Every structure is written in C-alpha cells, then in structure tokens.
Amino acid sequence: MLKWALIFFVISLVAGFLGFSGISAATAGIAKILFFIAVAIFLVFLVLAIMAGGIVL
C-alpha cells in the first residue's frame, strides 16, 4: 500500500515539473489518501499484536 503511495507521489512530482498542475494535484491527493490508509492499517495491526501479547518489535 505504501509502495503505491510513493508511486503516485513520484507521478505527482513529475507532472508538476512538466506543468500539468491538475494531474499533479489529483495524484498528490491519491498519494495522501493511500498513505493514511497504510498508516491506519499499520496501527490496527500494532494494536492487535499488543492485545495478543506477542512481541511487537
């Protein structure tokens, strides 16, 4: 999931550099959404691991 966020971020940077501001804004928004979904999934799994009593780190 985080890989896709980075891909969309790079696409956004390239589109912004080439002057495609609409595409750049859209891909930046998608990258932001994917990043927060990845963080939320990580936190859910972290809480589940702590509740299960396993070693997290």
Side-chain angles (χ1 to χ4, degrees):
M1 182 76 63
L2 193 57
K3 176 178 70 171
W4 287 105
L6 290 174
I7 290 171
F8 275 101
F9 177 69
V10 170
I11 292 172
S12 175
L13 287 177
V14 171
F17 180 73
L18 295 175
F20 299 106
S21 60
I23 295 172
S24 177
T27 54
I30 292 171
K32 187 186 300 187
I33 290 169
L34 289 175
F35 174 75
F36 285 121
I37 289 172
V39 169
I41 290 172
F42 169 75
L43 290 176
V44 166
F45 281 120
L46 182 67
V47 169
L48 288 174
I50 291 172
M51 291 177 63
I55 298 174
V56 176
L57 301 174

